Amino acid sequence: MDPKSPDDRPEPAAAQQPLPLEWRFAQVFGERGAGEDVQEVDIISAIEFDKSGDHLATGDRGGRVVLFERTDARGNASRTELERQDYVVARHPEFRYKTEFQSHEPEFDYLKSLEIEEKINKIKWGQTANNALFILSTNDKTIKYWKVQDKKVKRVSVMNLDTSQSSDNGTTSSSSASSSRGLPNGGCSEKLYNGTSNDLSFPPGGCTSLRLPVVTGQDLNPVARCRRVYAHAHDYHINSISNNSDGETFISADDLRINLWNLEINSQSFNIVDVKPANMEDLTEVITCAEFHPTHCNTLAYSSSKGAIRLIDLRQSALCDNHAKLFEEHEAPGSKSFFTEIIASVSDIKFAREGRHILSRDYMTLKLWDLNMDSGPVATFQVHEHLRPKLCDLYENDSIFDKFECCLSGDGLRVATGSYSNLFRVFGCTPGSTEATTLEASRNPMRRQVANPTRPTRTLTSLTRAVRRGGENAGADGNGNSYDFSTKLLHLAWHPTESSIACAAGNSLYMYYA
């Protein structure tokens, strides 16, 4: 009997697969009431957890950055409470509002007669130092570096001269029954000052007591201060920023260029990628997203409107015109259409925390790539395949150009992305996993859950098998409801260490845990 080929071997036992997560509602901030209109400036346009997961930042179209801090952390508990706990209590992350500040204001470029809106495109957390939080935020043209630190607000009070007797405890009495001669700021109702001699005179018998100013301390208040402004370096709209793992530099990318900055120097930047052709009529693709590797400070990746992801090494040359690796999946011959290039455009890329994989999102799918294998994605997750018959309608109402973000769990076992009708999808990405969960950004996230997700079909791509998952009822959600293209969940973020997701639905921030 012939030995079985690797592709014919039985699947691993189901017990070895992680169980599908059961998602629950945790919190909501800025929930909209029934019939309440959402102001355009309040719509959330960026979400980001910091590396510890103890802080969350959101940016909106009004140019504001809102910070939230975690309140259920074990380190916040008292010693008595910790001693009582013989085991770890399973509880969901709880956040509270910390502060907000106006990051960007609307501007006008008089040279180009162009309005620059205040909308926050991206937020990135810097390294924490001296109990201060550092944040990079950007709109279409200008990047700002913010420092947020708790400051104790002090106030000087009791600033007046009092001629009454001191009380026994050393504080000054200010009885209204006594003939008070004191006035605010040390003034006195008696004529104490002789204008001719320029001498200070005292009433007969002298002043019996002097009330000294008292400094009273208030609660700690977070104060945001802009430390650096990085401007005038991009001719086109900035679509992404990314911090380097060295803690000293970051990149900013627009449609045609990627610039490298030092956090402490805002007067100059270095152009490291330039895809602008000599003749703009020869332009065939633009940069859509760029991100640094989480641990290798010399490596970064950027995606393009043609569906390609390029990995570049900063050690090769100052201007990285040549990529180190190229990741792209070619369409089958004869399958091209008018919409092929539009839906192939990559709207977001994310490195996995371990740095081995890249997750990319185009209009139709999520793709997981292995940096060691550029022949094709190791897994493909179908998100909008049921919308393929409606591409003409989506093109007419511009929905086909919506830019959905994606995210990975800290352990790398799951991926997530948004969709229409305020839905988002969570997929298991371990080999053999069939997990494909549809959730709604509401207080009842499982309301539109698909009861029996379709088992993934396996296809052979080059030398490895790619997994395709998530295909379901065409043109409808899990309950057969038609999609609402006016409500879209574009922005979401996965907690770096826990099974917790924050996502934006209009002006509301929803948080879920499993």
Side-chain angles (χ1 to χ4, degrees):
M1 185 176 178
D2 295 336
K4 291 184 178 181
S5 65
D7 290 346
D8 295 331
R9 290 172 186 168
E11 294 289 336
Q16 298 177 359
Q17 291 294 329
L19 294 175
L21 296 179
E22 183 179 348
W23 292 93
R24 299 179 177 88
F25 170 79
Q27 286 177 283
V28 59
F29 296 94
E31 187 175 26
R32 179 179 50 175
E36 182 182 351
D37 292 333
V38 177
Q39 299 295 323
E40 181 79 11
V41 295
D42 295 331
I43 296 178
I44 298 174
S45 57
I47 300 179
E48 189 80 10
F49 280 104
D50 71 345
K51 286 186 178 180
S52 67
D54 291 337
H55 294 91
L56 174 67
T58 65
D60 62 26
R61 295 188 181 180
R64 293 168 304 217
V65 173
V66 183
L67 303 185
F68 301 88
E69 63 180 354
R70 188 164 179 175
T71 60
D72 68 310
R74 190 175 175 88
N76 295 337
S78 66
R79 181 174 178 178
T80 306
E81 292 173 344
L82 294 176
E83 289 174 349
R84 290 175 183 170
Q85 295 179 5
D86 340 12
Y87 57 92
V88 177
V89 179
R91 55 189 302 183
H92 66 81
E94 292 181 1
F95 285 80
R96 69 181 176 192
Y97 170 85
K98 180 179 177 68
T99 188
E100 68 180 81
F101 56 90
Q102 189 71 33
S103 174
H104 289 74
E105 300 280 358
E107 301 174 35
F108 189 81
D109 188 337
Y110 293 96
L111 293 177
K112 297 182 179 180
S113 296
L114 181 68
E115 289 185 2
I116 303 172
E117 60 180 354
E118 64 271 32
K119 172 192 164 190
I120 304 296
N121 290 343
K122 292 290 181 180
I123 294 176
K124 294 294 180 181
W125 289 90
Q127 294 184 351
T128 303
N130 299 326
N131 294 323
L133 304 174
F134 293 89
I135 298 170
L136 277 172
S137 62
T138 183
N139 65 353
D140 286 339
K141 294 292 184 180
T142 305
I143 307 162
K144 294 186 179 181
Y145 188 43
W146 293 89
K147 178 181 180 181
V148 181
Q149 192 168 28
D150 289 335
K151 298 284 187 181
K152 180 175 283 189
V153 179
K154 296 183 179 180
R155 187 172 60 187
V156 179
S157 60
V158 201
M159 292 179 61
N160 68 319
L161 188 68
D162 193 355
T163 56
S164 60
Q165 295 293 329
S166 299
S167 59
D168 294 337
N169 60 5
T171 60
T172 306
S173 171
S174 58
S175 173
S176 59
S178 63
S179 57
S180 175
R181 298 180 180 178
L183 293 177
N185 298 328
C188 184
S189 59
E190 299 283 348
K191 184 174 177 57
L192 300 181
Y193 185 73
N194 188 335
T196 57
S197 63
N198 292 332
D199 290 333
L200 184 66
S201 60
F202 291 91
C207 294
T208 56
S209 66
L210 179 66
R211 179 180 296 175
L212 297 177
V214 177
V215 177
T216 57
Q218 302 295 322
D219 293 336
L220 292 174
N221 291 329
V223 177
R225 183 171 64 89
C226 184
R227 293 196 61 198
R228 300 279 189 279
V229 177
Y230 313 90
H232 312 301
H234 288 277
D235 293 330
Y236 304 92
H237 290 177
I238 298 172
N239 55 47
S240 54
I241 53 176
S242 179
N243 285 316
N244 198 347
S245 58
D246 62 9
E248 297 179 357
T249 57
F250 71 94
I251 55 171
S252 59
D254 64 20
D255 293 341
L256 299 180
R257 293 186 178 94
I258 300 178
N259 293 334
L260 178 68
W261 300 83
N262 188 297
L263 283 169
E264 300 301 322
I265 303 172
N266 61 352
S267 58
Q268 65 176 348
S269 62
F270 299 95
N271 179 229
I272 55 176
V273 175
D274 189 348
V275 300
K276 184 178 180 180
N279 185 356
M280 286 296 286
E281 293 180 357
D282 299 331
L283 182 66
T284 58
E285 64 179 332
V286 296
I287 298 169
T288 57
C289 187
E291 181 164 293
F292 261 120
H293 190 280
T295 55
H296 299 165
C297 63
N298 58 282
T299 304
L300 63 94
Y302 70 92
S303 58
S304 79
S305 57
K306 280 193 169 181
I309 301 173
R310 292 173 172 83
L311 197 70
I312 61 176
D313 190 339
L314 297 177
R315 298 171 297 183
Q316 289 183 344
S317 64
L319 184 61
C320 302
D321 289 329
N322 298 319
H323 52 265
K325 284 191 176 182
L326 174 64
F327 304 92
E328 62 180 341
E329 187 176 29
H330 297 284
E331 284 286 330
S335 63
K336 286 190 175 183
S337 69
F338 172 77
F339 304 108
T340 299
E341 190 167 314
I342 300 176
I343 62 177
S345 177
V346 177
S347 58
D348 190 28
I349 59 172
K350 292 286 194 310
F351 274 99
R353 198 175 185 186
E354 92 285 345
R356 170 75 180 268
H357 295 88
I358 294 179
L359 181 67
S360 67
R361 172 71 153 99
D362 56 47
Y363 189 75
M364 305 298 285
T365 65
L366 270 175
K367 292 186 176 74
L368 189 66
W369 306 81
D370 189 330
L371 293 187
N372 295 337
M373 189 193 72
D374 54 7
S375 57
V378 294
T380 300
F381 310 94
Q382 301 296 334
V383 181
H384 282 164
E385 185 62 32
H386 54 274
L387 297 180
R388 193 175 290 274
K390 299 184 177 182
L391 290 181
C392 287
D393 297 334
L394 294 167
Y395 180 78
E396 289 295 328
N397 60 23
D398 287 341
S399 293
I400 200 171
F401 301 105
D402 288 334
K403 299 184 182 302
F404 292 93
E405 295 181 359
C406 59
C407 58
L408 300 95
S409 60
D411 55 15
L413 300 180
R414 293 173 179 87
V415 296
T417 190
S419 182
Y420 294 105
S421 299
N422 284 341
L423 301 179
F424 64 100
R425 310 290 307 278
V426 179
F427 300 96
C429 56
T430 55
S433 173
T434 60
E435 182 176 357
T437 309
T438 302
L439 302 160
E440 182 183 40
S442 67
R443 289 181 176 268
N444 183 13
M446 306 296 285
R447 186 165 68 92
R448 303 200 186 193
Q449 173 61 27
V450 180
N452 296 310
T454 307
R455 183 170 179 81
T457 58
R458 294 190 175 274
T459 58
L460 201 63
T461 0
S462 300
L463 301 177
T464 185
R465 294 179 300 170
V467 183
R468 296 183 177 269
R469 288 200 277 285
E472 29 192 68
N473 299 335
D477 61 19
N479 288 339
N481 301 319
S482 60
Y483 274 89
D484 179 6
F485 297 113
S486 64
T487 56
K488 57 196 75 172
L489 199 151
L490 302 177
H491 312 286
L492 75 171
W494 201 302
H495 192 281
T497 58
E498 299 178 6
S499 295
S500 175
I501 292 178
C503 57
N507 66 324
S508 302
L509 175 66
Y510 286 92
M511 305 191 70
Y512 302 95
Y513 73 101

